[in-house]
Amino acid sequence: QVQLVESGGGLVQAGGSLRLSCAASGRTVTIYGMGWFRQAPGKEREFVAGIRRSGDSTYYADSVKGRFTISRDNGKNSVYLQMNSLKPEDTAVYYCAARKGSVAGPFVEYEYWGQGTQVTVSS
């Protein structure tokens, strides 16, 4: 099994930045693709960003392109989400996810999920 623990959420003003981290433990050798999702109150969970194990391919939702950057450190079994120019509509619980397949886009199944970290952007 794989456990994912997110950190780095919080309250920030619009235009500010936050960096989310996700640490994986357990059978991390089975992890290939990793990603970030978010769920705002009253809305469905949506894909935010994904990255292949090699780090050479990344995927982003249109709503965050140019503002968010996903990266990973396989030596630390971690994935990060740098969020800049935050907007109130970015307010949500952000979830880290991992999968056994190499593709890390929005339309594939992720087997492992973290508990989530709250990001609140005030106007």
Side-chain angles (χ1 to χ4, degrees):
Q1 276 289 33
V2 172
Q3 295 78 44
L4 302 174
V5 178
E6 304 95 337
S7 61
L11 173 64
V12 64
Q13 288 188 333
S17 299
L18 280 176
R19 186 184 190 229
L20 304 183
S21 299
C22 172
S25 60
R27 295 196 63 193
T28 57
V29 292
T30 64
I31 293 176
Y32 285 87
M34 297 191 76
W36 289 94
F37 289 73
R38 67 186 181 186
Q39 187 167 19
K43 295 186 177 181
E44 293 187 353
R45 186 170 60 192
E46 64 175 358
F47 173 83
V48 175
I51 186 168
R52 285 180 176 253
R53 182 177 180 87
S54 62
D56 59 350
S57 291
T58 55
Y59 313 81
Y60 294 96
D62 288 342
S63 59
V64 307
K65 280 182 182 177
R67 300 188 298 122
F68 291 11
T69 302
I70 188 171
S71 60
R72 67 189 292 170
D73 184 336
N74 291 332
K76 295 182 178 180
N77 294 317
S78 295
V79 65
Y80 310 96
L81 186 67
Q82 178 66 43
M83 305 186 295
N84 299 329
S85 301
L86 283 161
K87 304 175 181 179
E89 50 264 44
D90 294 318
T91 295
V93 177
Y94 283 70
Y95 297 91
C96 175
R99 64 186 308 268
K100 299 175 183 178
S102 60
V103 177
F107 304 116
V108 294
E109 180 182 359
Y110 288 77
E111 290 88 356
Y112 308 109
W113 293 86
Q115 293 299 308
T117 184
Q118 176 71 46
V119 171
T120 303
V121 184
S122 63
S123 58

